[in-house]
Amino acid sequence: MMQAVQRPLILVTNDDGVYARGIRALADMVKPYGDVLVVAPRDAHSGMSHAITVKTPLTLKKIHHEEGLTIYKSNGTPVDCVKLALNILVDRKPAVCVSGINHGSNSSVSVHYSGTLGAAREAAFYGIPSIGFSLMSYDAEADFTDSVAAFKPIFEHVLANGLDTNCYLNVNAPYQVPIQGVKFCRQTAGHWNEAFYERQDPRGETYYWLTGHLQNQEPEADDTCEHALAHGYVSVVPCVIDVTHFGVLRDLQSKLSSR
Amino acid sequence: MMQAVQRPLILVTNDDGVYARGIRALADMVKPYGDVLVVAPRDAHSGMSHAITVKTPLTLKKIHHEEGLTIYKSNGTPVDCVKLALNILVDRKPAVCVSGINHGSNSSVSVHYSGTLGAAREAAFYGIPSIGFSLMSYDAEADFTDSVAAFKPIFEHVLANGLDTNCYLNVNAPYQVPIQGVKFCRQTAGHWNEAFYERQDPRGETYYWLTGHLQNQEPEADDTCEHALAHGYVSVVPCVIDVTHFGVLRDLQSKLSSR
């Protein structure tokens, strides 16, 4: 008797929460390629980075099941969701993990703040080829049609070829412009220029509310993610898990190794 | 008239909270070198990574001031504390930012989960030479004497020489063993082997509680942080801000650039 061929298991998560439009678009995108397991935060977790929940218990609740698609929600962070999926739910190793589609850009140093990318990085720790997808629109009702069309071949490439085990992909798409194609780029040097709203609460105590915008530190460079996005391209930045700065390491070793 | 020479401004933060023993040890360590500004979370924020608070307002309250030492606490994350310090409080750019001393190791991939390292990374975004210090003991009453003695020359080197702007340092010390010296190392490949306690709450709902231990994926390697720590050395891993995986980038560009 021939054994039934198992379809690839595809893990889907995000940081905008399980009910966000972006994760539905992503689940729809990958559904033709395998069995889809969605495990995502109950509520929005923007800016949660690679945070994990250590001091409170986690919930995990199945909210939908149909042939080829099962959806869970949790009170945890995006990274918690990946850990719960891999430790509690899966019967086999996911062939790929996709996170997003984030409502808002995660280009440049936003890779460090993003819960979307935190989840992708976490899955990569387990040797699962992983991609974080983001759209440059914070609109909860954003239209994901064009970005999905551009993301699909990137997903297909990773599903077919895997990724280096020290790597995950940070993929961003421009919004409401004709997409010119896909560019593989390096991370733009930048930082967030913050402004804090300073106000008084009803009892007269001062509070601060964070806002700001990304400051591109190398606007002239033409090989960065910011440049690609500004010119209508989808940007793909392959990112490392091992963050050792080998240049500085050699330098410190040669100068200070006598210590 | 001669102008008074300003002492260097030293920014101190952590993720265990402003009342933790580790941050007091760190503030004491750096106080002889300049004017110390401590801005740290009110409560413990372990595992908060590079998270920021975007949906709720932040508080900032001065709780101590003496000559050369001012201490603030905030309801925010470690990264929020750095942003508040740099945007609201400082009158000049800090010469260095130190974060910790963390109660517990931040070696290997823990650099990605750690709020201590998140804060150091954030300060580095602003071009401030930054170091995250951690001690391999979760004990709230841990003795920091030996680790401080080993950390001090590393701090002095960074204060005197600065750091590459794409770099911050992840420094860990072993506990209750004779410290053999300092080793400059690469990040150990590893991941956390999780176990979730699975229990029922009083209403019969299942909940999960995260625990686990770090799995060293390369126990034979002798140039890693885990190896150094296991042999009684303080480990120093210089870490990148730009996480582009340039090897994979070249590979993807050569294979897929026609797209």
Side-chain angles (χ1 to χ4, degrees), chain B:
Chain B
M1 234 173 77
M2 262 180 65
Q3 219 176 339
V5 178
Q6 268 190 324
R7 285 153 54 89
L9 178 62
I10 301 167
L11 178 61
V12 179
T13 189
N14 78 343
D15 75 354
D16 289 316
V18 73
Y19 300 109
R21 199 176 169 110
I23 197 168
R24 277 184 286 148
L26 187 56
D28 287 346
M29 178 180 111
V30 301
K31 202 164 172 294
Y33 300 89
D35 291 331
V36 175
L37 173 64
V38 176
V39 186
R42 191 179 59 189
D43 310 305
H45 271 85
S46 291
M48 279 305 274
S49 184
H50 210 104
I52 51 172
T53 304
V54 291
K55 299 215 165 179
T56 51
L58 296 172
T59 61
L60 183 63
K61 192 167 181 174
K62 193 191 288 187
I63 57 172
H64 180 83
H65 177 71
E66 63 184 66
E67 180 65 32
L69 173 65
T70 310
I71 305 179
Y72 285 81
K73 67 177 179 180
S74 169
N75 64 344
T77 66
V79 169
D80 291 330
C81 289
V82 171
K83 288 185 184 290
L84 286 165
L86 298 181
N87 284 281
I88 311 283
L89 297 177
V90 301
D91 58 358
R92 59 196 194 274
K93 186 175 169 178
V96 63
C97 171
V98 289
S99 182
I101 300 171
N102 193 61
H103 293 248
S105 169
N106 279 316
S107 59
S108 185
V109 286
S110 298
V111 65
H112 292 295
Y113 300 104
S114 163
T116 304
L117 274 300
R121 190 186 303 115
E122 178 67 24
F125 290 176
Y126 291 83
I128 300 167
S130 300
I131 316 170
F133 292 107
S134 307
L135 179 66
M136 289 176 72
S137 166
Y138 290 100
D139 184 356
E141 300 302 319
D143 179 357
F144 289 90
T145 314
D146 292 351
S147 57
V148 160
F151 292 160
K152 205 180 280 189
I154 301 166
F155 169 77
E156 286 176 349
H157 176 81
V158 170
L159 184 63
N161 300 282
L163 273 177
D164 184 291
T165 53
N166 182 32
C167 186
Y168 57 99
L169 300 185
N170 182 9
V171 179
N172 285 269
Y175 191 53
Q176 288 182 334
V177 297
I179 292 183
Q180 304 297 318
V182 173
K183 280 212 175 171
F184 301 93
C185 346
R186 64 179 176 87
Q187 177 182 318
T188 313
H191 66 275
W192 280 76
N193 261 336
E194 277 90 24
F196 280 96
Y197 289 156
E198 185 173 338
R199 304 257 168 86
Q200 311 294 317
D201 75 12
R203 294 174 302 138
E205 298 280 343
T206 301
Y207 65 84
Y208 303 90
W209 213 308
L210 182 61
T211 180
H213 66 277
L214 184 74
Q215 176 78 44
N216 184 343
Q217 293 170 350
E218 44 178 350
E220 306 303 323
D222 65 0
D223 59 347
T224 65
C225 54
E226 288 301 318
H227 184 274
L229 292 164
H231 290 78
Y233 288 86
V234 168
S235 67
V236 181
V237 178
C239 302
V240 289
I241 293 169
D242 175 359
V243 296
T244 307
H245 191 315
F246 286 96
V248 170
L249 177 57
R250 281 186 295 270
D251 188 50
L252 287 172
Q253 281 171 334
S254 68
K255 280 186 189 150
L256 301 172
S257 58
S258 56
R259 256 183 203 147

Side-chain angles (χ1 to χ4, degrees), chain A residues 109-129:
Chain A
V109 287
S110 298
V111 66
H112 292 295
Y113 300 103
S114 164
T116 304
L117 274 300
R121 190 186 304 114
E122 178 66 25
F125 290 175
Y126 291 83
I128 300 167

Side-chain angles (χ1 to χ4, degrees), chain A residues 131-150:
Chain A
I131 316 170
F133 291 108
S134 307
L135 178 66
M136 289 175 73
S137 167
Y138 290 99
D139 185 356
E141 300 302 319
D143 179 355
F144 288 91
T145 313
D146 291 350
S147 56
V148 161

